[in-house]
Amino acid sequence: MLPDADAAITRDGKALILAYDHGIEHGPVDFEPNPETADPERVFELATHDAVTALAVGKGVAEAYYPQFEDDVTLLAKLNGTSNLWMGEPDSAVNWSVEYAAELGADAIGFTLYGGSNNEVEMAEEFREAQEAARAHDMGVVMWSYPRGQGLKNDTAPDTIAYAARLGLELGADIAKVKYPGSPDAMAAATRMAGPTKVVMSGGSKANDLQLLETVADAMAAGAKGLAVGRNVFQRENPEEMLDALEAVIFEDATVEEALELTSSTPVVDD
């Protein structure tokens, strides 16, 4: 972790990363709730929203769409990813190099590490190579730190998420993306373990507006520095509304109730 290495993909020290690596990781099923988002151009348009500090995509999507958005979108090159058709022990193919990502104009790299997988050693060595190459190009480094494997019973247990955050620090990530461990106290423990490495919460599968905003607010209050979100934005009928609301919570210290007013959701009524 290097001070200010993530400056290009953060705002006031916080991040809202729009993740769009779902086409390889999950396949077409993730676009069914909002079919127009199967078109990457639609998601690049979303990434021009002021709330979005970086857009995470794979090589092919970056090649095809980033050149026309390079003035309005900050590119986070998601270097590795494996299809949901893969049924083996968790692993992730490295699909492009840091050098090529830099040529395309990326300001940062993203890299998945499955701590606890039988393939952890190989993945950690691949991360090391990518992390050091990123430093040579003055690029920030984001680790998708997802403990996973046949020996792991609960990948969102508080101790497991704290370990995931610590791996980000130990291996040199500027930002560690982790799953929410279920409570503000558990998230606070994870952020402490990460030291100066920023912890951002993974958006996960789609939740209703109130649930998502409450969880993000709890994570931020516990020391998280933002959110890396995909489905909870682009699967919505009005994704711009949710970006407005997330911007209010993450960057403007708005309450959940204030943020919810920026959406079409039914307002929260006190009992």
Side-chain angles (χ1 to χ4, degrees), residues 3 12 39 51 99 136-137 143-144 146 149 158 163 172 181 191 193 209 227-228 238 250 262 267:
D12 299 327
D39 180 357
E99 290 73 21
H137 290 278
M143 178 189 287
W144 273 234
Y146 289 165
Y163 208 152
T191 62
M193 286 298 102
D209 292 358
L227 177 68
N238 297 301
I250 293 171
L262 301 173

Side-chain angles (χ1 to χ4, degrees), residues 5-29:
D6 59 7
I9 59 168
T10 56
R11 167 178 152 194
D12 299 327
K14 301 173 185 177
L16 199 169
I17 297 167
L18 184 59
Y20 189 61
D21 54 344
H22 300 69
I24 186 170
E25 294 286 353
H26 302 160
V29 65

Side-chain angles (χ1 to χ4, degrees), residues 5-271:
D6 59 7
I9 59 168
T10 56
R11 167 178 152 194
D12 299 327
K14 301 173 185 177
L16 199 169
I17 297 167
L18 184 59
Y20 189 61
D21 54 344
H22 300 69
I24 186 170
E25 294 286 353
H26 302 160
V29 65
D30 272 2
F31 309 129
E32 291 174 0
N34 189 354
E36 69 174 0
T37 59
D39 180 357
E41 186 167 357
R42 171 60 178 139
V43 179
F44 269 85
E45 290 170 352
L46 289 175
T48 66
H49 191 289
D50 287 344
V52 177
T53 59
L55 174 64
V57 295
K59 177 172 66 175
V61 172
E63 284 183 329
Y65 293 91
Y66 180 63
Q68 59 185 302
F69 286 93
E70 61 183 352
D71 293 333
D72 301 303
V73 171
T74 300
L75 178 63
L76 195 166
K78 184 59 168 52
L79 295 188
N80 62 343
T82 300
S83 80
N84 208 27
L85 303 172
W86 168 258
M87 300 300 291
E89 181 72 0
D91 201 354
S92 195
V94 179
N95 300 313
W96 51 328
S97 68
V98 172
E99 290 73 21
Y100 189 53
E103 287 180 21
L104 284 181
D107 285 298
I109 64 164
F111 199 99
T112 297
L113 179 76
Y114 294 129
S117 166
N118 289 342
N119 299 305
E120 177 188 328
V121 171
E122 177 187 353
M123 295 187 77
E125 291 173 346
E126 291 168 345
F127 177 81
R128 180 259 304 157
E129 182 177 349
Q131 191 262 4
E132 292 180 3
R135 296 309 187 212
H137 290 278
D138 296 321
M139 300 166 76
V141 178
V142 182
M143 178 189 287
W144 273 234
S145 191
Y146 289 165
R148 194 174 294 176
Q150 62 184 2
L152 193 66
K153 293 184 173 61
N154 185 351
D155 64 357
T156 58
D159 287 349
T160 301
I161 298 302
Y163 208 152
R166 187 70 184 199
L167 286 175
L169 170 63
E170 297 286 347
L171 297 181
D174 303 302
I175 296 176
K177 177 189 178 196
V178 303
K179 294 183 179 181
Y180 187 67
S183 73
D185 286 346
M187 180 57 90
T191 62
R192 285 195 299 274
M193 286 298 102
T197 292
K198 295 180 175 71
V199 174
V200 300
M201 188 186 88
S202 172
S205 57
K206 185 181 176 185
N208 69 46
D209 292 358
L210 178 60
Q211 290 172 331
L212 175 62
L213 292 171
E214 285 182 334
T215 304
V216 173
D218 285 346
M220 296 296 293
K225 296 300 182 181
L227 177 68
V229 62
R231 289 166 288 176
N232 264 298
V233 168
F234 67 71
Q235 285 186 349
R236 280 177 156 72
E237 186 175 337
N238 297 301
E240 288 89 353
E241 287 186 354
M242 180 49 65
L243 288 173
D244 289 341
L246 290 170
E247 181 176 29
V249 170
I250 293 171
F251 299 106
E252 300 167 5
D253 297 322
T255 66
V256 171
E257 291 75 16
E258 291 168 339
L260 204 60
E261 291 176 358
L262 301 173
T263 74
S264 302
S265 295
T266 303
V268 179
V269 178
D270 293 332
D271 294 333

